[in-house]
Amino acid sequence: MDATGTLELLCADAWRAVTEEKLGDWRLRAAGGFTGRANSALAVGDPGMPVEEALARVCDFAHAHGIPPVVHAVEGSETEQAVEAAGWVPNTGHAAGHLVSVLLGPLGRGADGVEFLPGPSPDWWELTAGAREPSPAQRHVLTTGEIGYGVAEVTAGAVRAAITGDLLHISRLAVRPEHRRRGLAKALMAASGAWAAERGATQCVLQVAVDNAPALALYEALGFREHHRYRYWVPACEDRSL
């Protein structure tokens, strides 16, 4: 497994689907439709069979779990080229963005006004998942692993911080509209870095859609740089709504 594949697997460990099956090095994942990452086949490494046969297995798994077949492949990789050659197409209908930048950057050093909760509060759920009472799939994906539930100023902002290997994996960073442009996102990032350093992390990783210009600008200002990109693919004849 190359460095990019290893990084993809670490990120996957920080974002666990409800159901996962191994297909060689590939991971087949389903979580009731909650997020593309948790409902796609992570196609890194060797699936242990020809790619076309592996893609048929991806379709069987997806249909068995009531989700559209989707492959998550590193942009420009041999695997992605094989997926395209098999007749799959970019999942441009994916609402959150089908092309994603994976960024690496330094850990923040702490900030005032941010605390880490022992568990997710209703306000944390509302801001990060859109509902004060999450679905079973949301609860599983967002709470599985060594997780920190960061909040700023009584949940004016919130973040999910996960430890994966020696990395801090940041996701669900959100600030309420009426509290934006006050530095809360930077404070949440800085506090997450200090929290993660205490748990052995040495670096931070993020996954951001390439068309999310405000987020990319924030992370660039914090010293993050792109490591690679990945893209979602679907069979040409399938529903692309996931």
Side-chain angles (χ1 to χ4, degrees):
M1 185 76 64
D2 63 14
T4 296
T6 298
L7 182 56
E8 282 289 333
L9 291 175
L10 285 169
C11 289
D13 287 341
W15 195 262
R16 300 307 294 259
V18 175
T19 303
E20 295 189 4
E21 291 183 12
K22 291 287 190 70
L23 186 64
D25 294 328
W26 290 21
R27 292 188 188 181
L28 312 184
R29 303 174 293 185
F34 175 62
T35 78
R37 277 175 286 171
N39 292 273
S40 59
L42 177 57
V44 296
D46 182 3
M49 61 188 68
V51 168
E52 282 202 37
E53 185 178 341
L55 293 174
R57 296 279 293 274
V58 169
C59 290
D60 291 343
F61 174 88
H63 294 149
H65 290 88
I67 59 174
V70 180
V71 163
H72 164 162
V74 173
E75 184 186 36
S77 65
E78 290 185 8
T79 296
E80 186 185 60
Q81 294 168 15
V83 169
E84 184 175 21
W88 290 47
V89 296
N91 188 15
T92 55
H94 182 53
H98 78 288
L99 182 60
V100 179
S101 178
V102 180
L103 309 176
L104 287 176
L107 296 178
R109 298 187 177 182
D112 295 331
V114 176
E115 64 174 319
F116 280 83
L117 306 176
S121 66
D123 285 342
W124 188 93
W125 280 118
E126 180 185 15
L127 191 49
T128 63
R132 293 176 68 83
E133 181 58 39
S135 70
Q138 289 173 323
R139 185 175 295 278
H140 179 92
V141 172
L142 295 180
T143 64
T144 299
E146 187 176 357
I147 312 297
Y149 308 95
V151 295
E153 297 187 8
V154 195
T155 327
V159 68
R160 179 186 187 268
I163 302 297
T164 177
D166 65 348
L167 293 173
L168 164 64
H169 180 275
I170 288 289
S171 62
R172 298 281 148 166
L173 177 64
V175 176
R176 297 187 188 279
E178 64 271 25
H179 294 283
R180 290 174 184 166
R181 294 183 173 81
R182 294 173 46 202
L184 293 185
K186 289 183 178 179
L188 285 160
M189 288 293 296
S192 296
W195 175 88
E198 293 176 354
R199 289 156 178 80
T202 61
Q203 202 172 16
C204 184
V205 63
L206 297 155
Q207 295 155 294
V208 184
V210 298
D211 58 0
N212 189 345
L216 291 172
L218 167 67
Y219 299 133
E220 182 178 5
L222 293 176
F224 285 79
R225 298 295 180 265
E226 184 174 88
H227 184 273
H228 66 275
R229 294 180 176 187
Y230 66 81
R231 183 160 32 198
Y232 294 119
W233 292 79
V234 293
C237 59
E238 289 279 353
D239 178 7
R240 305 180 200 176
S241 61
L242 179 61

